[in-house]
Amino acid sequence: VQAALAVQPDDTVTGQIVVATPETGPDDPGPTITLPPDLESDVDVSEYRQDGYAGSVVRFDGLTFEQTATLTQAAGPAGSKIRFEMRRAGGRVLVGGAVDLTTVSVDRADFQLKMNFPGQVLESNGDADSSEVSWTFTPGEVGDFSAVAAYPDPQAPSPVNWTLGLAVVVALAAFAVVLLAHRTRN
């Protein structure tokens, strides 16, 4: 399993997830991907065959944090061994979860997760580099992952808009005072 996710400034996620196993024959389809019905129109699943592996490539664009977490369950029984959470807390995005690989054979196993953020990664238990963090999980173990990234909340009011709004209110109040003073002066 190799997952590459890019968090966008509008708090959506774009990415690609490859789920494959060693081929047992030329007709081996690999692991079955069953998408939740509410994600079928937002996610593209295509066949994957490369380097003796067979499976699927899942591509998506513009999923919410909740939809991305739901997508982790699409890998059938293997998806039930994954806990993935993303949420916003003010100007920070928190990512956390765990992958249970205790029943996975060590032979030819590769489990990776890479995430890119529109801001700086502040904390992580993976390999972090400015705005990107990656984790490599060990077969036969339970691997946990966590990261905290900082970037502006797209739903938060803009300081520029607040300043302009306040300036308009002050200008209207000043105009009203001048107009009232001019009328009562006569």
Side-chain angles (χ1 to χ4, degrees):
V1 176
Q2 296 178 338
L5 309 177
V7 179
Q8 305 300 314
D10 64 352
D11 280 357
T12 60
V13 182
T14 298
Q16 172 178 299
I17 302 170
V18 176
V19 179
T21 55
E23 277 184 305
T24 58
D27 295 330
D28 180 15
T32 303
I33 302 294
T34 306
L35 294 175
D38 58 329
L39 292 180
E40 287 177 350
S41 63
D42 299 322
V43 177
D44 177 52
V45 179
S46 58
E47 181 181 341
Y48 177 85
R49 287 197 182 280
Q50 188 173 334
D51 301 326
Y53 287 86
S56 301
V57 178
V58 179
R59 292 182 179 89
F60 53 93
D61 185 23
L63 295 185
T64 65
F65 292 166
E66 294 80 20
Q67 289 173 317
T68 305
T70 302
L71 185 60
T72 62
Q73 304 304 312
S80 65
K81 297 181 181 242
I82 301 169
R83 183 179 53 81
F84 182 84
E85 301 170 354
M86 288 182 73
R87 66 183 175 88
R88 176 169 281 288
R92 296 176 185 216
V93 170
L94 310 164
V95 177
V99 180
D100 182 356
L101 302 175
T102 54
T103 59
V104 174
S105 169
V106 177
D107 185 38
R108 296 178 70 186
D110 182 21
F111 295 88
Q112 298 177 15
L113 170 62
K114 292 183 182 181
M115 294 188 72
N116 194 313
F117 297 92
Q120 184 176 4
V121 175
L122 302 176
E123 299 173 26
S124 170
N125 66 346
D127 296 325
D129 177 25
S130 182
S131 64
E132 185 175 280
V133 63
S134 63
W135 297 269
T136 301
F137 303 104
T138 306
E141 299 178 8
V142 175
D144 66 325
F145 56 94
S146 65
V148 177
Y151 65 94
D153 184 349
Q155 303 299 320
S158 164
V160 172
N161 289 345
W162 275 102
T163 303
L164 291 175
L166 184 60
V168 167
V169 169
V170 169
L172 288 174
F175 179 73
V177 167
V178 168
L179 185 62
L180 287 172
H182 182 59
R183 283 188 178 186
T184 58
R185 201 166 116 188
N186 293 339

